[in-house]
Amino acid sequence: MTTPADTPPIDTTPADEPPIDTTPPKDVTPPLAAVLLACTRDPGDARTAAALRAALARVASAPPGDPGWDALADAALRHGMSGLLYRRVVDLAYETVPQAVLLGWRQRVVAAGQRSLRMQRELLQVLDGLEAAGLPALAFKGPALSQQLYGDAGLRHFIDLDVLVQPHQLATAREVLLGCGYRDTLPLDKVSLTLLQEAEHHMAFTHTETGASVEVHWRVGPRFAADSLPADALFARAVPVELLGRKVASLGPLDLVVMLTVHEAKHSWDRVEGVAAVASALRRLSSEEA
């Protein structure tokens, strides 16, 4: 019978461990996604340029049959990133993309910029009409948001214009829009304006000649959502944004983050530009706001 004294001692000497592998993990992000995600990063960070160059190099070296430059342009358009992709490449990685490819991207960006200029003029006319009627208004989303986020009102894709008014001034705002050549997108013959205000957060108008769309909001976010922001608080925290050489009021930094986050969550974060927008808005918060 073996006694404790006969038991051989346990070897507590640590076994030789293999050396720690310090090789950076292989980037498994698809090349097109890697490029677009690099464009969401802080352009002032040197690591952003390195990440963008590395991702573009993967697209450039893609074997025949794999997604290349045309596929990247299509993906950028689909995710609302055409303008931001072109701007980031020109600023941070100009020599990594063939000049013929850049020219094609530039033509698309120029066309979007020209459209933005037309819509900025339309927005200023609407704001002038509201101001003449004694109605303060905020411009948000659309060109004002693009200017706030990226310093360029034409970089972000938008299809309509959005303004915010005080709830008690909605009826007057509607009369101003009708006087400016707009019509109700949805007729009000079956629902009162009061009921609409209680059930919704905006009403839409379409210009009878230009086809431009304007949404007049009295809240930001769905009426009954916990994250809805009432107009009076938004006006109190508004900040100026410059459009075509003029200062217009828009959402403050914190409200901008909340609005973008709620909006993108509602759309299931289905576009990379939504990530870029929220990231840019967060970078613009002061230390006290953050």
Side-chain angles (χ1 to χ4, degrees), residues 175-187:
E175 293 302 319
V176 169
L177 268 292
L178 296 179
C180 290
Y182 286 84
R183 59 175 174 79
D184 295 309
T185 302
L186 298 176

Side-chain angles (χ1 to χ4, degrees), residues 26-247:
K26 182 179 179 181
D27 188 357
V28 296
T29 307
L32 305 189
V35 172
L36 298 185
L37 289 175
C39 292
T40 71
R41 299 174 56 163
D42 182 359
D45 188 332
R47 292 171 296 181
T48 299
L52 180 58
R53 289 170 180 271
L56 289 168
R58 294 174 62 198
V59 177
S61 61
D66 280 9
W69 298 119
D70 289 342
L72 176 58
D74 291 342
L77 181 63
R78 188 166 61 253
H79 283 277
M81 293 284 289
S82 294
L84 200 55
L85 170 64
Y86 178 76
R87 176 50 53 203
R88 292 290 182 263
V89 169
V90 168
D91 291 346
L92 304 176
Y94 183 78
E95 72 284 356
T96 62
V97 178
Q99 290 300 300
V101 172
L102 273 179
L103 178 60
W105 293 0
R106 181 180 182 276
Q107 291 172 342
R108 181 173 285 176
V109 171
V110 168
Q114 292 172 339
R115 179 178 178 276
S116 175
L117 286 174
R118 293 194 297 271
M119 296 191 74
Q120 288 178 69
R121 288 194 291 267
E122 192 86 23
L123 174 62
L124 293 177
Q125 290 174 2
V126 170
L127 294 175
D128 286 344
L130 294 171
E131 182 180 3
L135 273 65
L138 299 185
F140 73 106
K141 295 167 64 174
L145 176 58
S146 184
Q147 184 67 36
Q148 283 178 290
L149 295 178
Y150 307 130
D152 186 331
L155 281 191
R156 195 171 196 264
H157 177 71
F158 52 91
I159 60 176
D160 55 20
L161 300 169
D162 298 84
V163 298
L164 179 81
V165 300
Q166 295 283 1
H168 67 278
Q169 296 178 322
L170 177 60
T172 305
R174 177 174 177 266
E175 293 302 319
V176 169
L177 268 292
L178 296 179
C180 290
Y182 286 84
R183 59 175 174 79
D184 295 309
T185 302
L186 298 176
L188 294 178
D189 55 350
K190 295 183 179 180
V191 60
S192 69
L193 199 59
T194 301
L195 182 59
L196 181 69
Q197 281 185 259
E198 293 176 352
E200 294 292 343
H201 64 286
H202 77 274
M203 63 184 306
F205 300 86
T206 304
H207 199 281
T208 55
E209 295 182 3
T210 66
S213 297
V214 174
E215 291 184 353
V216 177
H217 299 246
W218 50 94
R219 296 179 69 89
V220 171
R223 172 64 179 85
F224 297 109
D227 298 279
S228 291
L229 303 173
D232 53 353
L234 296 171
F235 274 96
R237 297 188 290 264
V239 297
V241 176
E242 186 170 310
L243 294 177
L244 299 182
R246 289 180 50 181
K247 299 286 187 181

